[in-house]
Amino acid sequence: MIGTLVVARRELSGLFMAPFTWIVLLVVLFINGLLFSSFIYQTQGNVTASLSESMTGPSFWLWMIFLPALLSMRLVAEESRSGTLEYLLTAPVSDAAVVVGKFLAATGFLALLWSSTLIYAVTLDYAGGPPDWSAVIGTWFGTILVSGLFVAIGMLASTLTSTPLLAAFLSMVSCLMWLAIPFLASSVMAYLVPLLTSTAAEQAALVGRMGSVVASMDALRHFSRSFQMGVLDTAEIIFFLTWISFFLFLTARSIEARRWRG
Amino acid sequence: MIEVAHLTRRYGSLLAVDDLSFEVGRGEVVGFLGPNGAGKTTTIRILAGYLAATKAERLVVAGHDVQRDSMGVRRSIGYLPESVPLYPELRVEEMMRFQGRLHRMERQVMRRRIPEVLERVGVQDRGKQLVGTLSRGLKQRVGLAVALLPDPEVLVLDEPTSGLDPIQRGEVRDLIHSLADDRTVLLSSHILAEVESVAPRVIILHEGRKVADGKPAELAASLGGGGHVAVEVMGAASAEDMATLIGSLPGVDSVATGDRVGIHQSFQVRGEGDLREDIGALAMTQTWALRELSWQRPTLEQLFTRLVTGRGLEDLDGPASSGAAAAPSPMLEAEPVDLPAAAPVLAAGLELSSGPAESSAPPLGTPGNAGSKIIYSLNPFDRGASRDLSKPVSVDAPPEAVSGEPEPSDGDGDGESAS
Amino acid sequence: MSGSHGNVGGLSRAGIGAQVLVTAVLALTALLLVNWLVARPGLRHRFDLTSASSNTLSTATLGVLERLESDIQVDILYRDMNAPLTALGQEVIVRADKLLVLMEEAAGGRLAIQVVDTADQEAWTLRQQELRLRGYENGLIVSSGERREFLALSGDLAVFDMGNPVPETYIPPRIQQFDAERAIVGAILDVTEGAERHVYFTYGFGELDALDAVENSGLGLLSEELEGDGLRVHRWNFLEDGPLPDDCAAVAVIGPQVGWPEDMYAEVVEYVEAGGRLLVAAETVPELLRKSDVPDLLAHFGLEVSEGRVMHPLLDRRTGIVVQGQQECEVHVVTGDLMSRHPILSALRGAGGSFSVPIAHRVQVGVQPPDGVAQALLRSSPESWLDAPPCDRRYDAQLDGTFKSFPLAATVQRPPMVDVEAPKGLEAVPEVRIVALGSEAMLTNAALQNPTFRSADVLRAAFNWLLDREHRITVPPRDPDLRFLPRERPESAVLVIRVAQYYLPLAALLASLLVWLRRTRGSQRVALKTSRLEESDG
């Protein structure tokens, strides 16, 4: 536990010492700022809608594809290449502590990034349009969980190769895939279902059943049905936490496999 | 402190470490020697807990089983990988503090220990500098400091001098020397001189197997006996006659007839004690023009070369590691032409005469075409193991000859790298 | 040192791979199990963080959704509304959508939401035709099988306050009330209730034939329209069929020409008094109308029907003066200003439509019910006059009175007039609803076939209003909880935009420069010093 925190602290401070991170931070803040201004303008000053669009709109999901990939590339693949991963993996901390520490650092960075919306909210409050604070913070909490999930996916993809660019690409593709599960599944189903069933009723039943399975994996849906609306739902929180743990577990196993692969 | 018994490690179908066994006692400094790909780094990584062993009967470091109590090993070992992995964005002090935190050191202990260790490795004034801006040699020192911070019982250094210039190399070597007083050190190198100068004991690895283990001097003795006298003369008599004459001297055991280069004939004389005076006197009486008369002690280089070129490997493996009586030297049986690598090892300082007319002549002992600058690398491992060691390598200038004994100065010792 | 010691590496690569795979599969299984478990209703807890509890459904709604037995589909029709309601309309539809998502969760798969793509003109038109909608109406369609109900965005889902558009005293429009939950639940109850709804047309006493689609005087086309709305049309004659069946949702009396048997009249009155629904249309011919029970029936519920018919003269096209003594016109074109503010006509009024009522008697409110509302539904033009019987269609100032606007139809809405059992659970509250039309002609095939009359929509709306049930569910209207930047202070938005667009990125830039300076400066100074040292060392 202490090891995890030590690693997390170093990774996070290391992130803020690298120009790369600041460039990412600046780009995201600048674009988000532009978008937020346009939301304010479009909605004629609707506080709730602007904040919600800024925190949960398409731009958020677009960032979710790129940022975790870049971060995990930095935290795993680049370190693996420069050898500092070897240093960490021979230090008296467990693999799990290293993985979780890096995960916490990346997620913490994203959490900090998303808290820029909280600054927008403070400004709105000051400017005379008080936001619904508890709901806004609930949504912010949700964005952190989503970031965590995507960082975990990105880290898993990043451990599979020590070429940073390839790792970033792999992470991006896996994050995109995770987001695109519903679309992929529906296209696959459209192709497969007629082969598996004969009657229309069977088809409908199969589509329905598979649809519910797919929906249970759909992060977008889980997010939009709870945090995005300003609801804390135990089932949704556990959905994100369990998937994060699962991917971190796989990441730790993948790093352990390096000890065998060499 | 380190016990390894029947360690095997495979990378897929590649056998990197093959049934390796050795022990390192408390306070010992042991050098791991071998060409790249011999399994040094793999063994060290397994000991440090970075890689898993495919199979091992016993793997104990500082009293902790590597395979069961990896954390215990990691806590009591100071490990410096070859790449010297330090975070470039951190300051030296921050890097040290991070290491301290990873080792759960108390804050006060760290505050006291960090300057201490930095001073020990001689970078006390670099505490505020970013690691990324350090020179390679300083980085190596900082890496050592990081490894030393938790005061480990065992220090494991993988190629601590690779990538350094000769001066830095000397510094690091001295540093290791000074560290070796109070802890067990296992270091690896593919450069013989490094190991020879630091480690009283050397373990030679080749293709994942231990081929020799012992003190450098013992190893040399066990291979080449007491050395030989190299003679190059110009005389009226035939080579056979000259050999017979030399062989008739008291104390001479054998005379091997070497090449004839131009008008000079070379011989290798073995026997008891230093025969140079006797041979010199003989030359005087026979009015041979003496061109060389030198005492040649076999170095580890030669030993190495012979081991890794496969010749004499079977003979050397058993007796050398057990420290038993010297086996018959392969050099004696071999035709001199078959041992080209040994031939150019000349002690320049012992050259007796070299006329001005001959000073520009190609080095003696060069087989075949005297005009060509084909020589044999003195350091068979510095270009990587992929090179065929039995083949000559062309270099621009003839390198300085190496001999640990006649020239003890460090500066000369560093000069052997043909970089 | 025994052989058993530390022989972990006995596994091959494939073995390790398989081991990792197995553990991964096990972990995945555990994960899915945990997720399934925590999604069970008993273990799942939702905490609504919004200050207006906009994500919490009322218990009544949850009750309705849990007891759903048939599948419900909700179509969302939305196009941006015109200024100044654009932002508010968006807000309402977004909120309604959120509510629907909550309802979908609560309904356990019984409720499906579909957003109609209004950008796809073809699909949109098609869907409108399916739903028998006219014009571009924003709102929701709640349907169950063939039965559907439309909830207009403005009116049903939310009530807008238009504010004051005058620049000097500008008050922005706002959402006065957000009623989507109640509206949606009511619609769900309406469309799921019972199996089919039956309308009984009295027959055999000179009434128009509800099943005759051929003759001009038949009602077959109207019946078809009603069937399209999910209603079943029957003919009913007390003598042949006995009392009204229990499943009777409404009785329609279209132009009887002779009196009913006494018990038939009693049956109808009794049915309506207990909370029944009645549509009456008067026979055209005054003598026949007098013979029928229609005037008595209407009088019983406080309405009066004249024997004479309302006419309006043709005007001189050039002067606009009434040309007396000429052929008069009996087709009343009812435009928006002649329609009352009644739910039956609100959609038509809103769309700026009109329709025609041919040959109509005056139907006016005689006695206001003490605990309900009786009101005129539509009027004739102000130049109309009432032609006294026997309807010679000639204006006679002494007989026919002055020119004015006459009501041509009326409605009554009141609680049951006799004691009835109180509704239980989610049953609808019984209520008397009557639509009295002065003209039977507007219901005939001839009128429905005439493209200029456009009376079908009004008649459908009238039947839908008649059959609509008030449900006793207490879904409180929602706090609109609107959060807007103050419009009267535009500088507030400017501040927010400045912070988001400039100050925050600028602050980050400054922070990065600060970090960069701090990280490099200290290092370089020392580096200079030591490099000099290094030189001297060398």
Side-chain angles (χ1 to χ4, degrees):
Chain A
M1 192 61 211
I2 297 170
T4 309
L5 292 181
V6 169
V7 174
R9 185 179 152 184
R10 199 225 71 84
E11 297 293 351
L12 193 57
S13 62
L15 275 179
F16 278 104
M17 288 170 194
F20 158 84
T21 326
W22 286 102
I23 291 168
V24 167
L25 192 75
L26 275 173
V27 168
V28 174
L29 280 183
F30 182 69
I31 293 179
N32 270 4
L34 276 181
L35 286 174
F36 184 71
S37 307
S38 75
F39 297 146
I40 285 278
Y41 179 75
Q42 273 170 18
T43 61
Q44 298 165 13
N46 188 335
V47 170
T48 317
S50 306
L51 281 177
S52 159
E53 186 70 11
S54 175
M55 286 175 115
T56 64
S59 61
F60 170 71
W61 295 102
L62 208 64
W63 291 129
M64 273 297 81
I65 293 170
F66 290 104
L67 297 185
L70 288 176
L71 285 171
S72 50
M73 168 192 88
R74 235 195 111 67
L75 291 181
V76 182
E78 275 189 6
E79 292 220 351
S80 160
R81 182 174 232 191
S82 73
T84 40
L85 199 62
E86 180 175 353
Y87 168 73
L88 274 183
L89 293 181
T90 53
V93 283
S94 62
D95 291 2
V98 172
V99 168
V100 175
K102 283 176 180 292
F103 163 79
L104 286 180
T107 311
F109 172 73
L110 289 179
L112 205 77
L113 200 53
W114 303 141
S115 59
S116 60
T117 322
L118 295 184
I119 297 180
Y120 300 160
V122 169
T123 324
L124 286 170
D125 205 342
Y126 175 76
D132 192 349
W133 273 108
S134 52
V136 166
I137 288 174
T139 310
W140 179 69
F141 177 67
T143 61
I144 296 174
L145 281 183
V146 173
S147 311
L149 177 62
F150 281 81
V151 166
I153 295 173
M155 277 177 68
L156 176 61
S158 246
T159 55
L160 301 179
T161 169
S162 57
T163 315
L165 269 181
L166 187 61
F169 178 73
L170 268 181
S171 301
M172 243 175 256
V173 168
S174 9
C175 290
L176 195 65
M177 292 277 270
W178 186 260
L179 273 183
I181 283 175
F183 304 102
L184 295 178
S186 66
S187 56
V188 168
M189 277 197 291
Y191 177 74
L192 276 184
V193 164
L195 299 179
L196 296 173
T197 53
S198 43
T199 68
E202 269 180 53
Q203 248 175 46
L206 191 65
V207 166
R209 223 173 304 134
M210 284 167 79
S212 71
V213 170
V214 167
S216 74
M217 305 248 305
D218 184 355
L220 244 153
R221 185 184 152 98
H222 279 273
F223 181 71
S224 69
R225 302 205 150 200
S226 52
F227 304 106
Q228 193 171 337
M229 303 165 78
V231 170
L232 281 194
D233 186 328
T234 50
E236 307 294 14
I237 295 174
I238 288 181
F239 165 83
F240 283 105
L241 290 183
T242 46
W243 277 106
I244 287 172
S245 329
F246 176 68
F247 283 116
L248 289 184
F249 169 77
L250 288 190
T251 309
R253 298 298 312 213
S254 166
I255 283 187
E256 195 186 322
R258 289 172 166 233
R259 298 186 189 276
W260 294 99
R261 276 207 318 250
Chain B
M1 287 314 270
I2 302 175
E3 291 175 48
V4 175
H6 305 291
L7 168 67
T8 303
R9 165 73 206 210
R10 296 175 171 278
Y11 296 109
S13 57
L14 180 79
L15 192 59
V17 178
D18 183 10
D19 196 28
L20 180 68
S21 303
F22 66 92
E23 278 185 29
V24 179
R26 181 176 291 274
E28 236 186 317
V29 178
V30 174
F32 246 180
L33 201 55
N36 288 347
K40 295 169 300 186
T41 301
T42 302
T43 310
I44 282 180
R45 282 180 161 177
I46 289 172
L47 289 177
Y50 181 59
L51 291 180
T54 307
K55 199 172 168 188
E57 209 171 280
R58 187 164 165 75
L59 214 51
V60 176
V61 175
H64 301 279
D65 190 317
V66 173
Q67 297 172 70
R68 305 213 167 149
D69 183 16
S70 179
M71 282 304 136
V73 173
R74 295 190 204 177
R75 262 192 287 275
S76 46
I77 192 174
Y79 167 52
L80 181 61
E82 183 185 357
S83 56
V84 195
L86 303 171
Y87 294 102
E89 70 270 17
L90 292 187
R91 297 179 197 280
V92 171
E93 274 177 355
E94 288 165 342
M95 185 71 218
M96 299 291 280
R97 274 204 291 276
F98 178 50
Q99 168 81 345
R101 279 195 213 105
L102 283 177
H103 282 263
R104 313 264 167 95
M105 288 172 76
E106 296 285 325
R107 198 176 279 267
Q108 294 92 327
V109 178
M110 263 202 291
R111 204 171 294 151
R112 179 175 49 79
R113 183 103 180 111
I114 287 173
E116 207 175 286
V117 173
L118 286 180
E119 190 168 355
R120 177 101 195 245
V121 300
V123 290
Q124 60 274 25
D125 53 343
R126 305 288 181 140
K128 292 273 186 286
Q129 195 173 343
L130 292 181
V131 169
T133 63
L134 291 173
S135 68
R136 187 75 174 81
L138 284 172
K139 215 168 157 188
Q140 195 79 33
R141 285 160 178 254
V142 173
L144 266 174
V146 168
L148 280 172
L149 183 71
D151 200 12
E153 296 171 74
V154 178
L155 202 54
V156 176
L157 312 172
D158 192 7
E159 302 271 4
T161 55
S162 79
L164 300 185
D165 66 40
I167 296 168
Q168 291 171 332
R169 206 179 289 186
E171 288 168 358
V172 169
R173 215 163 45 200
D174 291 345
L175 195 58
I176 295 170
H177 242 309
S178 72
L179 296 174
D181 301 340
D182 47 358
R183 44 179 69 80
T184 309
V185 180
L186 178 66
L187 62 93
S188 81
S189 178
H190 57 250
I191 300 165
L192 175 80
E194 304 285 341
V195 180
E196 228 178 349
S197 63
V198 178
R201 183 180 149 203
V202 175
I203 294 172
I204 299 177
L205 291 183
H206 181 58
E207 286 173 356
R209 295 211 281 167
K210 185 170 77 174
V211 293
D213 182 354
K215 292 195 169 69
E218 279 175 12
L219 286 177
S222 71
L223 279 163
H228 66 268
V229 176
V231 185
E232 248 183 78
V233 292
M234 185 198 79
S238 68
E240 289 78 32
D241 291 346
M242 288 197 263
T244 319
L245 266 172
I246 297 170
S248 66
L249 286 171
V252 172
D253 290 340
S254 63
V255 178
T257 310
D259 289 332
R260 187 181 179 89
V261 180
I263 51 171
H264 293 99
Q265 174 67 43
S266 70
F267 300 98
Q268 286 162 3
V269 185
R270 280 162 207 278
E272 283 168 33
D274 195 341
L275 296 164
R276 281 177 290 184
E277 282 180 6
D278 296 346
I279 295 170
L282 177 68
M284 299 270 270
T285 58
Q286 298 292 318
T287 65
W288 294 340
L290 199 55
R291 185 168 127 123
E292 185 192 356
L293 181 62
S294 64
W295 173 242
Q296 295 280 345
R297 216 192 70 150
T299 62
L300 277 177
E301 299 283 355
Q302 292 158 279
L303 172 64
F304 236 2
T305 316
R306 245 173 297 160
L307 287 175
V308 299
T309 47
R311 286 199 54 96
L313 196 127
E314 309 80 31
D315 313 14
L316 287 166
D317 194 16
S321 51
S322 62
S329 167
M331 198 180 253
L332 293 176
E333 282 97 49
E335 287 295 322
V337 198
D338 288 334
L339 288 172
V345 181
L346 307 172
L350 288 182
E351 235 169 90
L352 284 184
S353 74
S354 57
E358 287 145 3
S359 60
S360 61
L364 283 181
T366 308
N369 186 359
S372 129
K373 282 200 174 179
I374 298 277
I375 60 111
Y376 295 90
S377 172
L378 295 171
N379 182 348
F381 301 127
D382 63 355
R383 295 280 171 86
S386 56
R387 183 163 60 80
D388 186 353
L389 294 166
S390 62
K391 295 248 177 71
V393 163
S394 175
V395 293
D396 295 325
E400 297 169 53
V402 155
S403 168
E405 201 160 73
E407 283 285 336
S409 109
D410 273 345
D412 266 11
D414 289 322
E416 100 286 304
S417 97
S419 54
Chain C
M1 300 260 175
S2 63
S4 70
H5 234 110
N7 202 349
V8 274
L11 285 167
S12 64
R13 271 157 82 94
I16 294 159
Q19 204 184 28
V20 169
L21 199 70
V22 166
T23 47
V25 167
L26 278 179
L28 189 65
T29 318
L31 177 150
L32 293 176
L33 202 70
V34 167
N35 270 308
W36 178 81
L37 207 65
V38 295
R40 293 308 92 203
L43 289 169
R44 184 175 197 170
H45 295 285
R46 285 174 76 92
F47 304 99
D48 191 354
L49 299 175
T50 52
S51 56
S53 291
S54 50
N55 295 319
T56 313
L57 295 175
S58 75
T59 42
T61 308
L62 291 173
V64 170
L65 293 172
E66 270 167 29
R67 267 168 285 183
L68 270 185
E69 277 169 7
S70 47
D71 288 336
I72 303 282
Q73 170 154 357
V74 180
D75 288 75
I76 301 176
L77 309 175
Y78 180 70
R79 286 195 158 191
D80 268 345
M81 294 167 78
N82 292 334
L85 290 180
T86 320
L88 291 180
Q90 239 162 23
E91 181 73 22
V92 169
I93 211 75
V94 165
R95 277 157 189 254
D97 190 35
K98 276 188 185 176
L99 273 177
L100 283 172
V101 166
L102 291 172
M103 288 182 177
E104 189 186 3
E105 297 257 296
R110 282 271 181 220
L111 189 97
I113 304 169
Q114 196 194 341
V115 179
V116 177
D117 183 6
T118 51
D120 183 352
Q121 194 66 41
E122 235 169 81
W124 169 245
T125 320
L126 201 72
R127 192 71 189 135
Q128 280 190 87
Q129 277 169 4
E130 272 174 41
L131 300 169
R132 295 154 165 276
L133 272 178
R134 299 283 150 84
Y136 299 118
E137 274 237 66
N138 284 326
L140 308 178
I141 293 133
V142 179
S143 45
S144 170
E146 277 307 302
R147 296 169 62 179
R148 40 179 75 96
E149 194 156 310
F150 178 74
L151 301 173
L153 189 148
S154 168
D156 289 327
L157 298 183
V159 180
F160 291 110
D161 174 1
M162 297 303 287
N164 187 350
V166 181
E168 291 82 48
T169 54
Y170 179 72
I171 299 168
R174 62 189 186 93
I175 301 173
Q176 208 167 37
Q177 199 174 317
F178 185 64
D179 254 348
E181 186 177 358
R182 186 163 58 188
I184 294 168
V185 173
I188 288 174
L189 283 172
D190 278 346
V191 296
T192 51
E193 205 171 56
E196 284 189 305
R197 306 223 268 166
H198 303 269
V199 180
Y200 289 86
F201 281 73
T202 57
Y203 181 67
F205 301 92
E207 290 96 337
L208 301 183
D209 185 355
L211 303 183
D212 179 3
V214 183
E215 292 291 321
N216 274 347
S217 62
L219 300 176
L221 292 182
L222 175 68
S223 299
E224 278 171 26
E225 290 277 341
L226 297 181
E227 301 261 353
D229 277 352
L231 301 177
R232 302 278 296 152
V233 172
H234 306 275
R235 290 193 300 201
W236 176 70
N237 183 325
F238 184 78
L239 298 178
E240 292 166 17
D241 306 316
L244 278 166
D246 284 343
D247 61 7
C248 174
V251 172
V253 180
I254 314 297
Q257 296 173 334
V258 293
W260 290 332
E262 224 166 272
D263 35 4
M264 179 161 170
Y265 177 80
E267 171 73 17
V268 171
V269 168
E270 197 183 307
Y271 163 76
V272 177
E273 280 184 338
R277 311 294 163 96
L278 176 67
L279 184 126
V280 184
E283 160 64 36
T284 314
V285 183
E287 292 78 27
L288 294 175
L289 175 64
R290 200 184 305 141
K291 276 190 219 160
S292 78
D293 288 323
V294 168
D296 290 347
L297 189 63
L298 291 178
H300 186 83
F301 295 102
L303 300 176
E304 289 170 5
V305 60
S306 69
E307 279 186 19
R309 300 202 299 263
V310 179
M311 317 215 167
H312 66 111
L314 279 177
L315 302 181
D316 187 292
R317 279 193 188 159
R318 207 155 35 80
T319 57
I321 297 167
V322 176
V323 187
Q324 290 194 12
Q326 296 293 321
Q327 181 69 39
E328 282 75 19
C329 185
E330 281 199 86
V331 176
H332 304 274
V333 177
V334 182
T335 49
D337 54 324
L338 299 177
M339 300 180 198
S340 70
R341 293 185 172 273
H342 192 278
I344 294 175
L345 298 175
S346 63
L348 201 62
R349 267 168 59 93
S354 66
F355 62 96
S356 301
V357 179
I359 319 172
H361 298 272
R362 181 193 67 189
V363 178
Q364 66 182 17
V365 177
V367 185
Q368 237 345 297
D371 45 1
V373 181
Q375 65 177 106
L377 189 63
L378 46 98
R379 308 186 145 271
S380 64
S381 68
E383 296 85 14
S384 312
W385 49 277
L386 187 63
D387 194 13
C391 287
D392 54 5
R393 295 184 176 179
R394 303 233 165 242
Y395 180 70
D396 179 341
Q398 275 185 332
L399 277 174
D400 299 335
T402 51
F403 294 100
K404 62 177 183 182
S405 179
F406 293 96
L408 301 178
T411 59
V412 175
Q413 186 177 5
R414 62 181 298 185
M417 295 147 83
V418 293
D419 282 343
V420 290
E421 250 179 90
K424 285 171 292 190
L426 293 168
E427 279 175 25
V429 184
E431 192 180 36
V432 175
R433 285 192 184 187
I434 299 168
V435 175
L437 301 172
S439 157
E440 64 170 349
M442 73 180 286
L443 292 90
T444 57
N445 294 341
L448 265 60
Q449 270 166 342
N450 190 330
T452 58
F453 278 26
R454 292 187 298 271
S455 53
D457 286 346
V458 182
L459 294 172
R460 275 176 52 219
F463 269 97
N464 279 329
W465 178 76
L466 267 187
L467 295 169
D468 192 25
R469 315 243 199 135
E470 279 299 312
H471 294 279
R472 183 175 298 219
I473 46 168
T474 47
V475 179
R478 295 201 167 262
D479 175 6
D481 189 37
L482 285 183
R483 292 160 188 276
F484 277 89
L485 281 174
R487 239 166 264 248
E488 64 278 9
R489 283 194 285 128
E491 69 273 12
S492 61
V494 171
L495 171 75
V496 170
I497 286 172
R498 272 206 194 132
V499 166
Q501 218 167 322
Y502 305 113
Y503 298 164
L504 200 57
L506 214 63
L509 187 68
L510 285 179
S512 72
L513 287 178
L514 200 74
V515 167
W516 181 73
L517 270 179
R518 280 200 55 189
R519 300 293 308 168
T520 51
R521 208 177 52 187
S523 179
Q524 232 121 53
R525 206 169 51 219
V526 176
L528 275 173
K529 201 170 73 193
T530 41
S531 62
R532 235 175 277 130
L533 271 176
E534 208 167 43
E535 277 161 28
S536 64
D537 277 351

